[in-house]
Amino acid sequence: MINLGFTVVLLLLSVNSYATDKWLFSEKTAVTRKPQAGVFLHLDGSNRKHIAVSQNIVLVVWEDDHSSDPQVYLSYKERSADHFSKQVLVSSGTEAYEPAVANLSNDGFVVTWEQDAAVYARLFINKALITPPIKLSKAVAGHATVITLENKVYIAWREQIGREWFLKVAFLKVSEDQQLRVIQQKSVEIEGIKSALLYPALAVSELGLTVTWEDRRAGHTRLMFSYSSDQAQSFSEPQYLNEFYSNRNEFDKGNGVTRVSIAAFAEDELIAAWMDKRRGENGYGIFSALGADWGPAFGPNERVHSQFGDNLPHYNPATAGNKKGDFVVVWDDYRHGNSDIWMSSYDDDSEWTEDYTPAIASGEREQSHPAISLDEQGNLHMIWMDRFDLNSPAQIWYSSGKLILK
């Protein structure tokens, strides 16, 4: 006897969807216009927050130079729509870089970015930009990122005052007349430091706010974190996030780390992931740490990627989580000879799954620089850059992965 239900599922999988171990991905949808020679697109913002999803809208932000100078753009679509809007210019200066976006309630969004060596933010509500953008920094600044909790907004960036670096965090709210209002702005540490601070990342829950960043005060790059339980009025003493390895040979000054990403999940948990060179000549691996109860420590560092492909470098990790308790880490690597998007999450035994790559974001072309968002139903929304080869212009694509219930 033919099982008609099973036959229908097979047809759906083969015709218009692409399954991984956890998600069933839709056909990809173009976010940006077709690749154009000489135009460079970037998805390189702090914490890789280039996509945000509200109840009804998916919104993507990026930087490109199709108008000759780099500027920040966005595009959006209804979740049920099969195409994105025309691109919308967000920035207003001479040059702009590294945007990030987070969603508000009622299908609103906050975008932040670096513009002319300063940090700006702007609202996007009812499918329109709310003008004007507001300037947050007072001195040379960049590496901005944003996170939201309903209509509470937190934006972090690095700022150089004189010869010292500060990590700034602003707490903002959306007013009744739909304006972005700065409630307060604080430095994570009162005293500045001489060495650079880079690429902050934020996560927030009802229990508090956590900020992570790259820090070079020890003479080598470490990852540090601090937390606040009072809406960024004060921050805990910074602590180290990554385990440190050095003196493995006469030239070794320690395992390099970079580009930390962090996300909240469940009621009180955190997932942080980053690029880590503790494997020596194999280049960067993707490592992680879990935090709980928003307290003063993370758990031990864990390797995210599986043994398959462990002898090669991995790049561009991004994290996402939701209140239901789902979380996932994505990245790109060259284990099949070209760059593909890979992902992993915990299995039922709280162990990292075998790496898996959705067919929609892998194959003969170059797929890289993923950014993700998990909705409260566990569906995974993902964008990435796609190009014919490393010397070709790029295009940004989107696909949504529907959670496979087991």
Side-chain angles (χ1 to χ4, degrees), residues 259-320:
R259 300 315 301 258
V260 62
S261 176
I262 189 171
F265 69 97
E267 293 183 358
D268 61 354
E269 300 187 68
L270 296 165
I271 173 68
W274 62 90
M275 295 160 59
D276 193 311
K277 278 190 173 179
R278 69 181 65 187
R279 303 175 306 150
E281 295 180 355
N282 290 336
Y284 285 114
I286 306 300
F287 283 77
S288 70
L290 294 176
D293 299 324
W294 295 78
F298 279 79
N301 293 182
E302 301 174 355
R303 188 187 67 188
V304 176
H305 57 84
S306 59
Q307 190 64 34
F308 176 55
D310 191 39
N311 62 342
L312 51 80
H314 312 264
Y315 304 100
N316 303 309
T319 58

Side-chain angles (χ1 to χ4, degrees), residues 4 14 27 57 87 134 136 183 215 286 289 312 320 322 325 346 364 393 397:
L4 292 178
S14 62
E27 288 278 3
I57 295 175
Q87 62 188 26
I134 63 170
L136 298 174
I183 305 302
D215 193 295
I286 306 300
L312 51 80
N322 62 18
Y346 264 16
E364 295 181 357
W397 292 86

Side-chain angles (χ1 to χ4, degrees), residues 166-169 186-190 211 213 226 234-236 238:
F166 294 83
L167 186 62
K168 299 286 187 176
V169 179
K186 292 285 186 178
S187 296
V188 173
E189 297 177 272
I190 296 175
V211 56
W213 68 93
S226 178
S234 63
F235 287 87
S236 66

